[in-house]
Amino acid sequence: MNASPFPSVPPAGSAGLGVLRTLVSRPLPAVMGVLNVTPDSFSDGGDFIAPDQALARARAMIEAGVDIIDIGAESTRPYKGAQPVTAADELARLKPVLSGIVALGVPVSIDSMKAEVVAFALDQGVAIANDVWGLQRDANMAPVVAAKGVPLIVMHNRESVDSAVDIVADMKAFFLRSLDIAAKAGIAREKIVLDPGIGFGKTAEQSMIALARLRELDMFGLPVLVGASRKRFIASVSPSEPKERLAGSIAAHLIAAQRGAKIIRTHDVAETLQALRVANAIESKQ
């Protein structure tokens, strides 16, 4: 497969803000590839838990043109079945592979809700912190991110699903709380990306509403990341298992891009990139 036509992005560390600015200023959304070093993630649990498998997967995503590799060592699957693990468990899964993946030269983000894990990953050269609880689960997360000076992805989440909730209003209130926590910790607003958390604490209907009304998050003036890849809401429209949801994932991601998403998080890098590029090429002919 062809490599990305875009120039390479600087490595992590003090260049973290430069990484984010470069990615979100491109004409197409940046593509973040999912790399789960877990035994129980909803779509690919166990596929890449061995270090050689994880490194091979990272290399394949780079060959496909990925812009960011998002590595996670605890399943945060957005419905019942994920098994909570300790920070020690996460670190044991990350330590054999993380430095090798960082050394491949593509920006890496760490998908963890534990400050201890994020701190370790950032010390290894990871460029971005990705907190699926938006600084609202681990009180040490905001101070760690602030001290490291890296960009932060703040994802909306809920403890439980409530179909009666106005999900967009709930997202806005959640993000206001997260941004307040970030500001008080000294995290620069310009380093923050918002993620509506498709599938997390939401019914299938609410996930689709969040995507349909994505432009309402423009009120924050921050880049938005969307990760609809293989999510269960797709099966509510077209019954399917996670690995059978490529077409639905692409449909959702194209709509997200049309509504301003600057980063797309996906399991299927090459296919998503192709879809984004073709849609952009067609749009450019108007």
Side-chain angles (χ1 to χ4, degrees):
M1 295 181 185
N2 294 329
S4 172
F6 300 112
S8 61
V9 178
S14 61
L17 180 55
V19 168
L20 180 61
R21 285 176 173 165
T22 300
L23 293 174
V24 303
S25 65
R26 294 175 175 176
L28 293 179
V31 172
M32 171 185 280
V34 178
L35 179 55
N36 292 314
V37 288
T38 59
D40 59 340
S41 290
F42 80 97
S43 174
D44 56 2
D47 288 356
F48 310 114
I49 195 166
D52 59 340
Q53 293 172 324
L55 281 165
R57 178 61 173 167
R59 291 190 183 101
M61 288 194 289
I62 292 170
E63 178 66 20
V66 79
D67 295 300
I68 312 167
I69 295 173
D70 189 48
I71 186 167
E74 176 182 13
S75 174
T76 52
R77 57 198 302 170
Y79 38 85
K80 294 179 180 179
Q83 297 298 314
V85 299
T86 65
D89 291 331
E90 282 190 64
L91 292 170
R93 295 170 182 174
L94 287 169
K95 286 178 178 179
V97 300
L98 190 56
S99 61
I101 290 170
V102 169
L104 296 175
V106 168
V108 177
S109 58
I110 177 64
D111 180 354
S112 179
M113 65 183 81
K114 298 182 182 70
E116 180 182 348
V117 174
V118 170
F120 167 79
L122 298 178
D123 283 343
Q124 305 307 304
V126 165
I128 301 167
N130 181 8
D131 183 1
V132 299
W133 275 98
L135 305 179
Q136 297 184 39
R137 175 58 64 90
D138 186 333
N140 292 320
M141 185 70 79
V144 164
V145 174
K148 301 296 184 181
V150 296
L152 167 70
I153 299 165
V154 168
M155 197 190 84
H156 171 264
N157 213 331
R158 290 177 53 82
E159 292 285 358
S160 60
V161 174
D162 182 351
S163 61
V165 166
D166 179 337
I167 200 63
V168 176
D170 195 81
M171 286 162 49
K172 291 175 182 177
F174 181 98
F175 288 140
L176 285 171
R177 291 193 298 273
S178 293
L179 291 171
D180 183 60
I181 294 168
K184 288 176 178 175
I187 299 171
R189 190 180 179 95
E190 62 186 352
K191 294 183 178 180
I192 297 175
V193 175
L194 303 181
D195 177 352
I198 302 303
F200 287 83
K202 300 172 182 65
T203 64
E205 180 79 5
Q206 287 170 332
S207 286
M208 290 186 282
I209 289 170
L211 285 166
R213 295 171 59 187
L214 196 65
R215 276 290 182 190
E216 294 189 37
L217 298 183
D218 289 353
M219 63 177 280
F220 294 102
L222 295 170
V224 172
L225 176 154
V226 168
S229 185
R230 305 183 183 180
K231 293 292 177 67
R232 182 175 280 190
F233 80 88
I234 297 168
S236 75
V237 177
S238 179
S240 50
E241 294 302 312
K243 290 185 179 180
E244 301 169 343
R245 298 173 189 164
L246 174 61
S249 302
I250 287 175
H253 287 150
L254 288 179
I255 287 173
Q258 290 169 357
R259 284 160 171 74
K262 292 296 186 181
I263 304 174
I264 299 296
R265 182 179 184 273
T266 181
H267 298 82
D268 304 291
V269 172
E271 296 86 349
T272 301
L273 271 167
Q274 184 181 80
L276 290 168
R277 290 170 181 165
V278 171
N280 182 69
I282 293 168
E283 290 289 343
S284 72
K285 304 305 179 186
Q286 295 189 64

